[in-house]
Amino acid sequence: MTTGGQPRQPVNGRTVPSRCHTAARVTAAVFGAYGFAWGLASFGAELGALAGMAPAEAVTTSSLLALLVLPVVALWAFAVPRVVVGWAVLGGGGVLLTVAARLAGVAAP
Amino acid sequence: MTKERRKLITSALRAAMLWPHTWTGVALGGLLMLIFFMGSLAVFASEIDRWMMPATRIGAVETGPVSLDRAAVPLVEAIAAGRAVRDWYVQLPNERRPVMAFRVRTDSGNAAGMATADGRLLAPVGTLGAGSFFYPLHYSLLLKAGFVGYWIVCFVSVAMLAGLISGVIIHARIFKDFFTFRSWGQIRRSLLDLHNLAGVLILPFHLMITFTGIVIILPIVLPAGVHALYDGDVQRFYDDALGNYSRPRSGISAPLAPLDPMVAEARRLWGGGEPAVVFVYNAGDAASVVRINRDTGDRISLDIQPVFFDGTSGALLNYRRPGPMVATHHVLSGLHFAAFEHWPLRWLYFLSGLAGCVLIGTGMLYWMEKRRVAHGRKPGIGWGSVAALACGSTTGLLIATLSMLAANRLLPAGVPSRELAEVGVFFLAWIGSAIQAAVRTRSDPPWSAHCAAVALLAGSCAVLNWITTGEHPLRAVALADWPVLGVDVALALTALAAWHVSRRLACRQTPDLSTLMKVTDHG
């Protein structure tokens, strides 16, 4: 949090991050976290369907769980020390889960 | 504080949470304020509607159960005014809305109308009222196309959830400072205390209302599961989850079977309960479908238990109970809607919603006061923008709402598109007050002038209701017209409070920067 055109100074022992770094964190929190929630909801729905739940039940359950996770992982994107790790876990995890859901959907009878 | 908690919430985590907490608040505070304020008003939408639609203040329904065939069906053609009716529905009278409300979809546009329980059509109300303006503004910002409004509201709501969670982490000494409020201290300190008090005390409500608000439209904003199992067809998911039934028009015309026996059959299937809404799809067609929704006033769950009948034969087409998770979804949605008959809880919802506005508003004010120290006497353009935004979204929003209520009482009935004229007044007043706030913000936004405007508008709204409808508070008491009395009293209280605040602010000394600099806080 800098002010106006003042030089960037350490605040509370933490160096103030660059604009690019901040943008990476914000996009990780917004898009990365949503992608992660998307992956969870879609994988959960497929898992539920495989486990024999009615489709509407599986979709509702997995979406509610994903919504619980969404704000927490969005904040975690700010808490994780390295933003690259945040992007890797959220974005990569989201893609992996979505692909896994696809595979489960193909495998399902 | 236990040792475990100390480990879980480190000072590094607290420091990391400060940035998202601050900037979601500053960037999205205005929108959140709009959503929370309009949501609070929506709790009493029916009561505000009675105030804004004097023709519908007709006391409780005393004619017994409505006969749809005698009272409702003949009115549909009259409301359609000669156009071919495609679909229509009627909301039946209840304790809070003593009239039937019709919506008719015709070949050329929609039509709406209201009628008494015994089937007397009322003159057009000429207003959208709280139910069709404040309430949609709350959940969709009136941006219906492509669900854009839903997406924005849900994005902001997730940010609110993140803000609440990060706020708890930042303020880890939560139980120690639970009831700390030092109003006699520095303004910045008391703002922070008020922010924390509103945040902590009402935290369960805030978490519940924000979460359940997103839950209602979750399949639209997080359609991942729908994409996985329904090929992305949200309509098919809803039909499956809610037990809906639909079929296309056949093109063969056929008369509508009597509705009253269908309502009786629906009652039998429900095992008691009252019908709330009756839909007729494909009206006048051999493939017409009648849908009857149950009133949810006697339960938390928003399970409307729709029953579907064949419109020409009256035979039962579909009635299915939801599975346990969909039922859970209904309960969560019902917690948000608060459609249940429970007056103390309704007031609690209303007041908690306003406490949410206090939380958001004090957060923005606290940021402004803190930044003022950093910027010195000459605030930058960023500070000025946030100040104008904060002013426009709090007092400006009140001015806009009250201007619309005043326009509702002042515009003559003959004005063409009267309901849109009211909406125009709302937005013009809002834009005007925001521009005024932006122009007049020097060391502070024009809080005092705005509060004075709020006081004058609120007071004149109550007086205008008296002049234009003849219903002053004493008469409202005599008639037991509690909705109108309630709105009038709320307006009078708003006027008194706003006037008091305005006087206090006008007399306030501009704080000296040197004293501002001396203040320390733990934020």
mmCIF file of all heavy atoms in Angstrom, chain A residues 1 22 26 30 34 38 41-42 45-46 55-57 59-61 63-64 66-68 75 78-79, chain B residues 13 17 19-20 23 151 162 211 215 218 221-225 227-230 237 323-326:
data_model
loop_
_atom_site.group_PDB
_atom_site.id
_atom_site.type_symbol
_atom_site.label_atom_id
_atom_site.label_comp_id
_atom_site.label_asym_id
_atom_site.label_seq_id
_atom_site.Cartn_x
_atom_site.Cartn_y
_atom_site.Cartn_z
ATOM 1 N N MET A 1 0.842 -1.197 0.000
ATOM 2 C CA MET A 1 0.000 0.000 0.000
ATOM 3 C C MET A 1 0.874 1.243 0.000
ATOM 4 O O MET A 1 1.385 1.656 1.029
ATOM 5 C CB MET A 1 -0.881 -0.004 1.251
ATOM 6 C CG MET A 1 -1.980 -1.031 1.177
ATOM 7 S SD MET A 1 -3.000 -0.938 2.629
ATOM 8 C CE MET A 1 -1.915 -1.669 3.826
ATOM 9 N N THR A 22 1.425 -7.462 -7.573
ATOM 10 C CA THR A 22 0.071 -7.262 -7.027
ATOM 11 C C THR A 22 -0.975 -7.754 -8.013
ATOM 12 O O THR A 22 -1.928 -8.445 -7.632
ATOM 13 C CB THR A 22 -0.158 -5.770 -6.731
ATOM 14 O OG1 THR A 22 0.883 -5.331 -5.885
ATOM 15 C CG2 THR A 22 -1.494 -5.560 -6.053
ATOM 16 N N VAL A 26 -3.881 -10.532 -7.447
ATOM 17 C CA VAL A 26 -5.320 -10.253 -7.600
ATOM 18 C C VAL A 26 -5.936 -11.196 -8.631
ATOM 19 O O VAL A 26 -7.001 -11.777 -8.407
ATOM 20 C CB VAL A 26 -5.546 -8.781 -7.988
ATOM 21 C CG1 VAL A 26 -7.007 -8.535 -8.324
ATOM 22 C CG2 VAL A 26 -5.110 -7.866 -6.867
ATOM 23 N N VAL A 30 -8.880 -13.899 -8.089
ATOM 24 C CA VAL A 30 -10.166 -13.805 -8.790
ATOM 25 C C VAL A 30 -10.336 -14.985 -9.746
ATOM 26 O O VAL A 30 -11.252 -15.794 -9.589
ATOM 27 C CB VAL A 30 -10.271 -12.471 -9.554
ATOM 28 C CG1 VAL A 30 -11.561 -12.441 -10.359
ATOM 29 C CG2 VAL A 30 -10.240 -11.298 -8.577
ATOM 30 N N TYR A 34 -11.560 -18.936 -8.856
ATOM 31 C CA TYR A 34 -12.794 -19.355 -9.527
ATOM 32 C C TYR A 34 -12.546 -20.632 -10.332
ATOM 33 O O TYR A 34 -13.361 -21.555 -10.310
ATOM 34 C CB TYR A 34 -13.327 -18.245 -10.428
ATOM 35 C CG TYR A 34 -14.650 -18.610 -11.075
ATOM 36 C CD1 TYR A 34 -15.835 -18.523 -10.358
ATOM 37 C CD2 TYR A 34 -14.705 -19.055 -12.388
ATOM 38 C CE1 TYR A 34 -17.043 -18.865 -10.922
ATOM 39 C CE2 TYR A 34 -15.915 -19.410 -12.970
ATOM 40 C CZ TYR A 34 -17.075 -19.306 -12.235
ATOM 41 O OH TYR A 34 -18.268 -19.665 -12.803
ATOM 42 N N TRP A 38 -14.374 -24.074 -9.863
ATOM 43 C CA TRP A 38 -15.004 -24.705 -11.031
ATOM 44 C C TRP A 38 -14.575 -26.181 -11.127
ATOM 45 O O TRP A 38 -15.406 -27.081 -11.277
ATOM 46 C CB TRP A 38 -14.615 -23.950 -12.310
ATOM 47 C CG TRP A 38 -15.207 -24.536 -13.540
ATOM 48 C CD1 TRP A 38 -14.820 -25.689 -14.184
ATOM 49 C CD2 TRP A 38 -16.329 -24.027 -14.275
ATOM 50 N NE1 TRP A 38 -15.624 -25.913 -15.271
ATOM 51 C CE2 TRP A 38 -16.552 -24.910 -15.352
ATOM 52 C CE3 TRP A 38 -17.152 -22.909 -14.123
ATOM 53 C CZ2 TRP A 38 -17.569 -24.720 -16.281
ATOM 54 C CZ3 TRP A 38 -18.166 -22.717 -15.048
ATOM 55 C CH2 TRP A 38 -18.367 -23.608 -16.113
ATOM 56 N N ALA A 41 -16.175 -28.197 -8.345
ATOM 57 C CA ALA A 41 -17.602 -28.436 -8.551
ATOM 58 C C ALA A 41 -17.815 -29.457 -9.646
ATOM 59 O O ALA A 41 -18.682 -30.337 -9.530
ATOM 60 C CB ALA A 41 -18.307 -27.114 -8.887
ATOM 61 N N SER A 42 -17.022 -29.364 -10.702
ATOM 62 C CA SER A 42 -17.255 -30.269 -11.811
ATOM 63 C C SER A 42 -16.771 -31.681 -11.476
ATOM 64 O O SER A 42 -17.457 -32.661 -11.751
ATOM 65 C CB SER A 42 -16.620 -29.649 -13.066
ATOM 66 O OG SER A 42 -15.621 -30.349 -13.569
ATOM 67 N N ALA A 45 -19.219 -33.196 -8.971
ATOM 68 C CA ALA A 45 -20.483 -33.605 -9.583
ATOM 69 C C ALA A 45 -20.317 -34.960 -10.261
ATOM 70 O O ALA A 45 -21.153 -35.857 -10.100
ATOM 71 C CB ALA A 45 -20.937 -32.553 -10.590
ATOM 72 N N GLU A 46 -19.195 -35.132 -10.989
ATOM 73 C CA GLU A 46 -18.951 -36.408 -11.662
ATOM 74 C C GLU A 46 -18.767 -37.533 -10.644
ATOM 75 O O GLU A 46 -19.291 -38.640 -10.820
ATOM 76 C CB GLU A 46 -17.705 -36.315 -12.554
ATOM 77 C CG GLU A 46 -17.884 -35.433 -13.771
ATOM 78 C CD GLU A 46 -18.756 -36.070 -14.854
ATOM 79 O OE1 GLU A 46 -19.301 -37.158 -14.617
ATOM 80 O OE2 GLU A 46 -18.880 -35.462 -15.930
ATOM 81 N N PRO A 55 -28.353 -36.835 -10.569
ATOM 82 C CA PRO A 55 -27.543 -35.747 -11.131
ATOM 83 C C PRO A 55 -27.793 -34.400 -10.443
ATOM 84 O O PRO A 55 -26.835 -33.693 -10.102
ATOM 85 C CB PRO A 55 -27.987 -35.706 -12.594
ATOM 86 C CG PRO A 55 -28.575 -37.031 -12.883
ATOM 87 C CD PRO A 55 -29.089 -37.594 -11.607
ATOM 88 N N ALA A 56 -29.063 -34.045 -10.204
ATOM 89 C CA ALA A 56 -29.354 -32.753 -9.583
ATOM 90 C C ALA A 56 -28.756 -32.673 -8.179
ATOM 91 O O ALA A 56 -28.245 -31.631 -7.751
ATOM 92 C CB ALA A 56 -30.866 -32.530 -9.520
ATOM 93 N N GLU A 57 -28.794 -33.812 -7.452
ATOM 94 C CA GLU A 57 -28.222 -33.859 -6.105
ATOM 95 C C GLU A 57 -26.710 -33.670 -6.162
ATOM 96 O O GLU A 57 -26.133 -32.910 -5.384
ATOM 97 C CB GLU A 57 -28.523 -35.219 -5.477
ATOM 98 C CG GLU A 57 -29.980 -35.450 -5.204
ATOM 99 C CD GLU A 57 -30.413 -34.715 -3.973
ATOM 100 O OE1 GLU A 57 -30.005 -35.091 -2.879
ATOM 101 O OE2 GLU A 57 -31.148 -33.722 -4.119
ATOM 102 N N VAL A 59 -24.875 -32.259 -8.507
ATOM 103 C CA VAL A 59 -24.513 -30.895 -8.921
ATOM 104 C C VAL A 59 -24.670 -29.941 -7.744
ATOM 105 O O VAL A 59 -23.783 -29.121 -7.450
ATOM 106 C CB VAL A 59 -25.385 -30.449 -10.111
ATOM 107 C CG1 VAL A 59 -25.207 -28.970 -10.377
ATOM 108 C CG2 VAL A 59 -25.042 -31.254 -11.351
ATOM 109 N N THR A 60 -25.794 -30.052 -7.023
ATOM 110 C CA THR A 60 -26.036 -29.134 -5.901
ATOM 111 C C THR A 60 -24.988 -29.308 -4.810
ATOM 112 O O THR A 60 -24.426 -28.331 -4.301
ATOM 113 C CB THR A 60 -27.445 -29.375 -5.328
ATOM 114 O OG1 THR A 60 -28.390 -29.382 -6.395
ATOM 115 C CG2 THR A 60 -27.822 -28.307 -4.338
ATOM 116 N N THR A 61 -24.706 -30.568 -4.443
ATOM 117 C CA THR A 61 -23.722 -30.829 -3.381
ATOM 118 C C THR A 61 -22.362 -30.255 -3.736
ATOM 119 O O THR A 61 -21.759 -29.515 -2.952
ATOM 120 C CB THR A 61 -23.571 -32.351 -3.166
ATOM 121 O OG1 THR A 61 -24.862 -32.937 -3.094
ATOM 122 C CG2 THR A 61 -22.793 -32.645 -1.916
ATOM 123 N N SER A 63 -21.512 -28.009 -5.954
ATOM 124 C CA SER A 63 -21.482 -26.550 -6.103
ATOM 125 C C SER A 63 -21.454 -25.863 -4.738
ATOM 126 O O SER A 63 -20.730 -24.886 -4.533
ATOM 127 C CB SER A 63 -22.703 -26.065 -6.878
ATOM 128 O OG SER A 63 -22.801 -26.724 -8.108
ATOM 129 N N LEU A 64 -22.250 -26.377 -3.781
ATOM 130 C CA LEU A 64 -22.260 -25.768 -2.439
ATOM 131 C C LEU A 64 -20.883 -25.899 -1.789
ATOM 132 O O LEU A 64 -20.382 -24.930 -1.200
ATOM 133 C CB LEU A 64 -23.319 -26.442 -1.562
ATOM 134 C CG LEU A 64 -24.770 -26.053 -1.829
ATOM 135 C CD1 LEU A 64 -25.716 -26.893 -0.976
ATOM 136 C CD2 LEU A 64 -24.992 -24.580 -1.546
ATOM 137 N N ALA A 66 -18.009 -26.202 -3.327
ATOM 138 C CA ALA A 66 -17.075 -25.335 -4.044
ATOM 139 C C ALA A 66 -17.245 -23.885 -3.613
ATOM 140 O O ALA A 66 -16.269 -23.145 -3.486
ATOM 141 C CB ALA A 66 -17.292 -25.469 -5.544
ATOM 142 N N LEU A 67 -18.507 -23.479 -3.337
ATOM 143 C CA LEU A 67 -18.732 -22.096 -2.911
ATOM 144 C C LEU A 67 -18.144 -21.850 -1.524
ATOM 145 O O LEU A 67 -17.672 -20.746 -1.232
ATOM 146 C CB LEU A 67 -20.230 -21.781 -2.917
ATOM 147 C CG LEU A 67 -20.589 -20.374 -2.467
ATOM 148 C CD1 LEU A 67 -19.949 -19.337 -3.388
ATOM 149 C CD2 LEU A 67 -22.092 -20.168 -2.451
ATOM 150 N N LEU A 68 -18.143 -22.886 -0.673
ATOM 151 C CA LEU A 68 -17.519 -22.733 0.645
ATOM 152 C C LEU A 68 -16.012 -22.546 0.493
ATOM 153 O O LEU A 68 -15.385 -21.779 1.223
ATOM 154 C CB LEU A 68 -17.786 -23.973 1.495
ATOM 155 C CG LEU A 68 -19.123 -24.038 2.223
ATOM 156 C CD1 LEU A 68 -19.243 -25.367 2.953
ATOM 157 C CD2 LEU A 68 -19.239 -22.898 3.227
ATOM 158 N N LEU A 75 -8.513 -15.899 -0.596
ATOM 159 C CA LEU A 75 -7.665 -15.237 0.407
ATOM 160 C C LEU A 75 -6.298 -15.906 0.490
ATOM 161 O O LEU A 75 -5.280 -15.241 0.698
ATOM 162 C CB LEU A 75 -8.352 -15.278 1.777
ATOM 163 C CG LEU A 75 -9.490 -14.283 1.945
ATOM 164 C CD1 LEU A 75 -10.148 -14.475 3.295
ATOM 165 C CD2 LEU A 75 -8.988 -12.856 1.807
ATOM 166 N N PHE A 78 -3.564 -14.546 -1.454
ATOM 167 C CA PHE A 78 -2.838 -13.395 -0.907
ATOM 168 C C PHE A 78 -1.884 -13.814 0.209
ATOM 169 O O PHE A 78 -0.916 -13.123 0.489
ATOM 170 C CB PHE A 78 -3.829 -12.363 -0.357
ATOM 171 C CG PHE A 78 -4.573 -11.639 -1.426
ATOM 172 C CD1 PHE A 78 -5.869 -11.997 -1.744
ATOM 173 C CD2 PHE A 78 -3.982 -10.594 -2.130
ATOM 174 C CE1 PHE A 78 -6.566 -11.337 -2.735
ATOM 175 C CE2 PHE A 78 -4.671 -9.936 -3.122
ATOM 176 C CZ PHE A 78 -5.958 -10.306 -3.425
ATOM 177 N N ALA A 79 -2.193 -14.930 0.871
ATOM 178 C CA ALA A 79 -1.408 -15.334 2.032
ATOM 179 C C ALA A 79 -0.189 -16.158 1.646
ATOM 180 O O ALA A 79 0.805 -16.155 2.354
ATOM 181 C CB ALA A 79 -2.287 -16.145 2.994
ATOM 182 N N LEU B 13 0.295 -13.747 8.553
ATOM 183 C CA LEU B 13 -0.994 -13.971 7.905
ATOM 184 C C LEU B 13 -1.880 -12.738 8.068
ATOM 185 O O LEU B 13 -2.533 -12.290 7.128
ATOM 186 C CB LEU B 13 -1.673 -15.206 8.505
ATOM 187 C CG LEU B 13 -3.049 -15.534 7.934
ATOM 188 C CD1 LEU B 13 -2.936 -15.909 6.466
ATOM 189 C CD2 LEU B 13 -3.708 -16.680 8.699
ATOM 190 N N MET B 17 -3.456 -10.421 5.105
ATOM 191 C CA MET B 17 -4.896 -10.271 4.916
ATOM 192 C C MET B 17 -5.324 -8.802 4.834
ATOM 193 O O MET B 17 -6.424 -8.486 4.406
ATOM 194 C CB MET B 17 -5.648 -10.946 6.065
ATOM 195 C CG MET B 17 -5.630 -12.453 6.044
ATOM 196 S SD MET B 17 -6.401 -13.172 4.600
ATOM 197 C CE MET B 17 -4.983 -13.525 3.587
ATOM 198 N N TRP B 19 -4.201 -6.331 3.026
ATOM 199 C CA TRP B 19 -4.313 -5.760 1.672
ATOM 200 C C TRP B 19 -5.635 -6.125 1.000
ATOM 201 O O TRP B 19 -6.390 -5.237 0.606
ATOM 202 C CB TRP B 19 -3.112 -6.192 0.822
ATOM 203 C CG TRP B 19 -2.971 -5.376 -0.406
ATOM 204 C CD1 TRP B 19 -2.223 -4.239 -0.551
ATOM 205 C CD2 TRP B 19 -3.623 -5.591 -1.668
ATOM 206 N NE1 TRP B 19 -2.361 -3.739 -1.816
ATOM 207 C CE2 TRP B 19 -3.219 -4.527 -2.521
ATOM 208 C CE3 TRP B 19 -4.502 -6.540 -2.158
ATOM 209 C CZ2 TRP B 19 -3.661 -4.426 -3.848
ATOM 210 C CZ3 TRP B 19 -4.959 -6.435 -3.471
ATOM 211 C CH2 TRP B 19 -4.533 -5.384 -4.298
ATOM 212 N N PRO B 20 -5.973 -7.427 0.874
ATOM 213 C CA PRO B 20 -7.267 -7.744 0.240
ATOM 214 C C PRO B 20 -8.450 -7.173 1.013
ATOM 215 O O PRO B 20 -9.426 -6.736 0.397
ATOM 216 C CB PRO B 20 -7.299 -9.283 0.210
ATOM 217 C CG PRO B 20 -6.249 -9.738 1.131
ATOM 218 C CD PRO B 20 -5.218 -8.659 1.190
ATOM 219 N N TRP B 23 -8.628 -3.346 0.178
ATOM 220 C CA TRP B 23 -8.915 -2.924 -1.197
ATOM 221 C C TRP B 23 -10.204 -3.501 -1.742
ATOM 222 O O TRP B 23 -10.824 -2.877 -2.605
ATOM 223 C CB TRP B 23 -7.712 -3.200 -2.096
ATOM 224 C CG TRP B 23 -6.611 -2.269 -1.695
ATOM 225 C CD1 TRP B 23 -5.518 -2.568 -0.946
ATOM 226 C CD2 TRP B 23 -6.561 -0.861 -1.927
ATOM 227 N NE1 TRP B 23 -4.778 -1.442 -0.702
ATOM 228 C CE2 TRP B 23 -5.395 -0.368 -1.304
ATOM 229 C CE3 TRP B 23 -7.380 0.056 -2.597
ATOM 230 C CZ2 TRP B 23 -5.034 0.974 -1.327
ATOM 231 C CZ3 TRP B 23 -7.007 1.387 -2.630
ATOM 232 C CH2 TRP B 23 -5.864 1.821 -2.005
ATOM 233 N N TRP B 151 -23.922 -11.910 -12.189
ATOM 234 C CA TRP B 151 -22.474 -12.150 -12.102
ATOM 235 C C TRP B 151 -21.802 -11.084 -11.259
ATOM 236 O O TRP B 151 -20.959 -11.388 -10.420
ATOM 237 C CB TRP B 151 -21.870 -12.188 -13.506
ATOM 238 C CG TRP B 151 -22.064 -13.493 -14.185
ATOM 239 C CD1 TRP B 151 -23.081 -13.825 -15.032
ATOM 240 C CD2 TRP B 151 -21.259 -14.667 -14.064
ATOM 241 N NE1 TRP B 151 -22.947 -15.124 -15.448
ATOM 242 C CE2 TRP B 151 -21.839 -15.674 -14.880
ATOM 243 C CE3 TRP B 151 -20.098 -14.965 -13.355
ATOM 244 C CZ2 TRP B 151 -21.297 -16.953 -14.994
ATOM 245 C CZ3 TRP B 151 -19.558 -16.240 -13.479
ATOM 246 C CH2 TRP B 151 -20.153 -17.213 -14.287
ATOM 247 N N ALA B 162 -14.928 -12.941 1.458
ATOM 248 C CA ALA B 162 -13.483 -12.874 1.671
ATOM 249 C C ALA B 162 -13.169 -11.736 2.642
ATOM 250 O O ALA B 162 -12.305 -11.878 3.514
ATOM 251 C CB ALA B 162 -12.761 -12.682 0.347
ATOM 252 N N PHE B 211 -23.526 -15.720 2.018
ATOM 253 C CA PHE B 211 -23.384 -17.070 1.459
ATOM 254 C C PHE B 211 -24.689 -17.528 0.799
ATOM 255 O O PHE B 211 -24.699 -17.953 -0.362
ATOM 256 C CB PHE B 211 -22.963 -18.041 2.571
ATOM 257 C CG PHE B 211 -22.742 -19.443 2.098
ATOM 258 C CD1 PHE B 211 -21.601 -19.780 1.388
ATOM 259 C CD2 PHE B 211 -23.676 -20.433 2.347
ATOM 260 C CE1 PHE B 211 -21.390 -21.070 0.941
ATOM 261 C CE2 PHE B 211 -23.477 -21.724 1.903
ATOM 262 C CZ PHE B 211 -22.339 -22.043 1.202
ATOM 263 N N VAL B 215 -25.894 -18.683 -2.983
ATOM 264 C CA VAL B 215 -26.427 -20.044 -3.155
ATOM 265 C C VAL B 215 -27.667 -20.039 -4.054
ATOM 266 O O VAL B 215 -27.837 -20.927 -4.887
ATOM 267 C CB VAL B 215 -26.749 -20.655 -1.771
ATOM 268 C CG1 VAL B 215 -27.693 -21.840 -1.907
ATOM 269 C CG2 VAL B 215 -25.471 -21.088 -1.078
ATOM 270 N N LEU B 218 -26.583 -20.048 -7.570
ATOM 271 C CA LEU B 218 -25.319 -20.748 -7.766
ATOM 272 C C LEU B 218 -25.242 -21.495 -9.106
ATOM 273 O O LEU B 218 -24.203 -21.441 -9.772
ATOM 274 C CB LEU B 218 -25.086 -21.705 -6.590
ATOM 275 C CG LEU B 218 -23.676 -22.258 -6.420
ATOM 276 C CD1 LEU B 218 -22.660 -21.146 -6.404
ATOM 277 C CD2 LEU B 218 -23.571 -23.072 -5.150
ATOM 278 N N VAL B 221 -24.103 -18.908 -11.704
ATOM 279 C CA VAL B 221 -22.776 -18.283 -11.628
ATOM 280 C C VAL B 221 -21.644 -19.296 -11.453
ATOM 281 O O VAL B 221 -20.484 -18.955 -11.656
ATOM 282 C CB VAL B 221 -22.707 -17.222 -10.502
ATOM 283 C CG1 VAL B 221 -23.535 -16.024 -10.860
ATOM 284 C CG2 VAL B 221 -23.131 -17.801 -9.172
ATOM 285 N N LEU B 222 -21.960 -20.526 -11.049
ATOM 286 C CA LEU B 222 -20.920 -21.565 -10.999
ATOM 287 C C LEU B 222 -21.493 -22.817 -11.665
ATOM 288 O O LEU B 222 -21.816 -23.793 -11.003
ATOM 289 C CB LEU B 222 -20.502 -21.851 -9.550
ATOM 290 C CG LEU B 222 -19.306 -22.803 -9.380
ATOM 291 C CD1 LEU B 222 -18.055 -22.226 -9.984
ATOM 292 C CD2 LEU B 222 -19.073 -23.141 -7.925
ATOM 293 N N PRO B 223 -21.649 -22.768 -13.007
ATOM 294 C CA PRO B 223 -22.341 -23.880 -13.676
ATOM 295 C C PRO B 223 -21.423 -25.043 -13.997
ATOM 296 O O PRO B 223 -21.673 -25.778 -14.961
ATOM 297 C CB PRO B 223 -22.886 -23.218 -14.952
ATOM 298 C CG PRO B 223 -21.935 -22.100 -15.232
ATOM 299 C CD PRO B 223 -21.257 -21.706 -13.947
ATOM 300 N N ALA B 224 -20.367 -25.245 -13.188
ATOM 301 C CA ALA B 224 -19.417 -26.320 -13.492
ATOM 302 C C ALA B 224 -20.104 -27.683 -13.473
ATOM 303 O O ALA B 224 -19.946 -28.482 -14.399
ATOM 304 C CB ALA B 224 -18.277 -26.286 -12.477
ATOM 305 N N GLY B 225 -20.872 -27.948 -12.406
ATOM 306 C CA GLY B 225 -21.555 -29.225 -12.299
ATOM 307 C C GLY B 225 -22.593 -29.399 -13.396
ATOM 308 O O GLY B 225 -22.782 -30.494 -13.922
ATOM 309 N N HIS B 227 -22.370 -28.124 -16.344
ATOM 310 C CA HIS B 227 -21.625 -28.456 -17.566
ATOM 311 C C HIS B 227 -21.218 -29.920 -17.564
ATOM 312 O O HIS B 227 -21.204 -30.569 -18.610
ATOM 313 C CB HIS B 227 -20.387 -27.559 -17.698
ATOM 314 C CG HIS B 227 -20.668 -26.279 -18.404
ATOM 315 N ND1 HIS B 227 -20.623 -26.153 -19.767
ATOM 316 C CD2 HIS B 227 -21.043 -25.064 -17.943
ATOM 317 C CE1 HIS B 227 -20.941 -24.926 -20.122
ATOM 318 N NE2 HIS B 227 -21.206 -24.245 -19.021
ATOM 319 N N ALA B 228 -20.882 -30.440 -16.383
ATOM 320 C CA ALA B 228 -20.411 -31.820 -16.312
ATOM 321 C C ALA B 228 -21.546 -32.813 -16.556
ATOM 322 O O ALA B 228 -21.375 -33.783 -17.274
ATOM 323 C CB ALA B 228 -19.756 -32.072 -14.950
ATOM 324 N N LEU B 229 -22.713 -32.555 -15.935
ATOM 325 C CA LEU B 229 -23.766 -33.586 -15.971
ATOM 326 C C LEU B 229 -24.965 -33.219 -16.836
ATOM 327 O O LEU B 229 -25.789 -34.073 -17.145
ATOM 328 C CB LEU B 229 -24.247 -33.873 -14.545
ATOM 329 C CG LEU B 229 -23.211 -34.447 -13.584
ATOM 330 C CD1 LEU B 229 -23.848 -34.800 -12.248
ATOM 331 C CD2 LEU B 229 -22.545 -35.683 -14.168
ATOM 332 N N TYR B 230 -25.110 -31.945 -17.224
ATOM 333 C CA TYR B 230 -26.272 -31.552 -18.028
ATOM 334 C C TYR B 230 -25.855 -30.881 -19.337
ATOM 335 O O TYR B 230 -26.640 -30.159 -19.937
ATOM 336 C CB TYR B 230 -27.188 -30.613 -17.231
ATOM 337 C CG TYR B 230 -27.915 -31.272 -16.088
ATOM 338 C CD1 TYR B 230 -27.330 -31.341 -14.831
ATOM 339 C CD2 TYR B 230 -29.172 -31.829 -16.257
ATOM 340 C CE1 TYR B 230 -27.982 -31.953 -13.773
ATOM 341 C CE2 TYR B 230 -29.836 -32.446 -15.204
ATOM 342 C CZ TYR B 230 -29.235 -32.493 -13.964
ATOM 343 O OH TYR B 230 -29.887 -33.099 -12.930
ATOM 344 N N PHE B 237 -31.255 -28.526 -15.941
ATOM 345 C CA PHE B 237 -30.915 -28.801 -14.544
ATOM 346 C C PHE B 237 -32.036 -28.337 -13.619
ATOM 347 O O PHE B 237 -32.476 -29.063 -12.728
ATOM 348 C CB PHE B 237 -29.602 -28.104 -14.165
ATOM 349 C CG PHE B 237 -29.390 -28.021 -12.676
ATOM 350 C CD1 PHE B 237 -29.029 -29.145 -11.952
ATOM 351 C CD2 PHE B 237 -29.593 -26.829 -12.001
ATOM 352 C CE1 PHE B 237 -28.864 -29.076 -10.579
ATOM 353 C CE2 PHE B 237 -29.429 -26.751 -10.631
ATOM 354 C CZ PHE B 237 -29.059 -27.877 -9.921
ATOM 355 N N GLY B 323 -34.776 -34.138 -3.791
ATOM 356 C CA GLY B 323 -33.866 -34.963 -3.004
ATOM 357 C C GLY B 323 -33.317 -34.173 -1.828
ATOM 358 O O GLY B 323 -33.529 -32.961 -1.731
ATOM 359 N N PRO B 324 -32.581 -34.842 -0.922
ATOM 360 C CA PRO B 324 -32.124 -34.165 0.300
ATOM 361 C C PRO B 324 -31.223 -32.950 0.043
ATOM 362 O O PRO B 324 -31.361 -31.931 0.732
ATOM 363 C CB PRO B 324 -31.378 -35.267 1.061
ATOM 364 C CG PRO B 324 -31.174 -36.366 0.083
ATOM 365 C CD PRO B 324 -32.256 -36.269 -0.923
ATOM 366 N N MET B 325 -30.327 -33.019 -0.957
ATOM 367 C CA MET B 325 -29.427 -31.881 -1.167
ATOM 368 C C MET B 325 -30.151 -30.710 -1.804
ATOM 369 O O MET B 325 -29.907 -29.553 -1.467
ATOM 370 C CB MET B 325 -28.236 -32.299 -2.040
ATOM 371 C CG MET B 325 -27.096 -32.932 -1.279
ATOM 372 S SD MET B 325 -26.721 -32.187 0.311
ATOM 373 C CE MET B 325 -25.985 -30.643 -0.196
ATOM 374 N N VAL B 326 -31.063 -31.004 -2.742
ATOM 375 C CA VAL B 326 -31.840 -29.914 -3.334
ATOM 376 C C VAL B 326 -32.726 -29.291 -2.255
ATOM 377 O O VAL B 326 -32.912 -28.066 -2.209
ATOM 378 C CB VAL B 326 -32.664 -30.434 -4.532
ATOM 379 C CG1 VAL B 326 -33.568 -29.347 -5.070
ATOM 380 C CG2 VAL B 326 -31.745 -30.931 -5.636
#
